[in-house]
Amino acid sequence: MTRKAAIMAALALLMGIGLTQVSPFRARLEAALHQGGHEFAQVMLSQDKGQALCSQYRDKLPADLIPGFLAEQKALIKYPANGKLMGDWKNGEKVFTDPKRGNCYACHAGVASEVAHGTMGPPLTNYGQRGTSEAVVRYTYEKIYNAWAFVPCSLMYRGGVHGLFTPEETADLVAFLLDPESPINRR
């Protein structure tokens, strides 16, 4: 074997080994997700049919797929057994701030005094100004439970669909956002 052929074979072997290794980014991502617990990591690392479509089309679904996608996502929404879409805002605050469940501050501003918040999502401070009509409560509930029922491939994760919070806890999150007594709405 010539020297050039030996070098090429060694490079091919190294590239093969390198391509089979977990990338440093993927390793860091998986480690961060596992800090939220095994179930959280499993949810965040697995793909369902909707996620596979979003991945396939790089979050830009073709127009002809959108109506069916939205209908499928809407069908995944579950409601509290008692039928009430607005629960206890105090429990909603706990879910909102829990990094293993709601983790809403990762993307949203909430309580005005909280300075550690993300900016990926819109600020939710004074969200309750929208009122508590049936339409506002239903929209808020459904958007929290499964944001993809409104915006295909939204960056907002589907906490209810993935079991990170229950329908009752979703109703508690709604109350945290809409109840006038909630810190979100107090000035």
Side-chain angles (χ1 to χ4, degrees):
M1 180 185 284
T2 68
R3 182 171 181 210
K4 185 176 180 181
I7 291 173
M8 293 302 287
L11 282 174
L13 176 65
L14 288 174
M15 282 182 59
I17 292 170
L19 292 174
T20 62
Q21 301 301 307
V22 174
S23 75
F25 171 78
R26 177 71 182 201
R28 285 192 313 274
L29 172 65
E30 288 184 16
L33 292 174
H34 283 288
Q35 287 179 353
H38 178 72
E39 287 181 27
F40 178 79
Q42 289 299 80
V43 165
M44 299 308 284
L45 291 171
S46 63
Q47 283 194 335
D48 60 21
K49 181 181 173 188
Q51 181 63 47
L53 276 173
C54 291
S55 294
Q56 178 182 350
Y57 292 104
R58 296 181 175 235
D59 299 334
K60 293 175 179 58
L61 298 183
D64 61 318
L65 295 181
I66 292 174
F69 182 91
L70 292 174
E72 286 176 10
Q73 293 302 312
K74 185 97 169 176
L76 296 174
I77 297 172
K78 294 180 182 161
Y79 299 92
N82 66 9
K84 294 182 182 180
L85 301 184
M86 227 171 113
D88 174 7
W89 73 258
K90 290 178 182 174
N91 190 50
E93 182 176 31
K94 291 175 189 169
V95 176
F96 190 95
T97 59
D98 186 340
K100 294 181 182 178
R101 294 167 63 223
N103 198 25
C104 304
Y105 276 120
C107 298
H108 299 279
V111 175
S113 61
E114 177 59 60
V115 295
H117 59 78
T119 57
M120 287 295 272
L124 300 173
T125 307
N126 296 315
Y127 186 89
Q129 291 178 345
R130 293 163 174 78
T132 56
S133 70
E134 182 181 340
V136 169
V137 171
R138 179 168 292 283
Y139 167 78
T140 303
Y141 180 92
E142 291 177 351
K143 178 80 174 195
I144 292 169
Y145 196 90
N146 186 2
W148 287 14
F150 297 92
V151 180
C153 310
S154 167
L155 289 176
M156 184 169 166
Y157 64 86
R158 302 168 293 155
V161 170
H162 289 140
L164 297 175
F165 37 83
T166 66
E168 290 73 23
E169 290 169 326
T170 305
D172 294 340
L173 285 163
V174 171
F176 183 61
L177 293 176
L178 292 173
D179 191 303
E181 296 301 313
S182 165
I184 287 266
N185 298 309
R186 281 191 252 138
R187 295 176 193 242

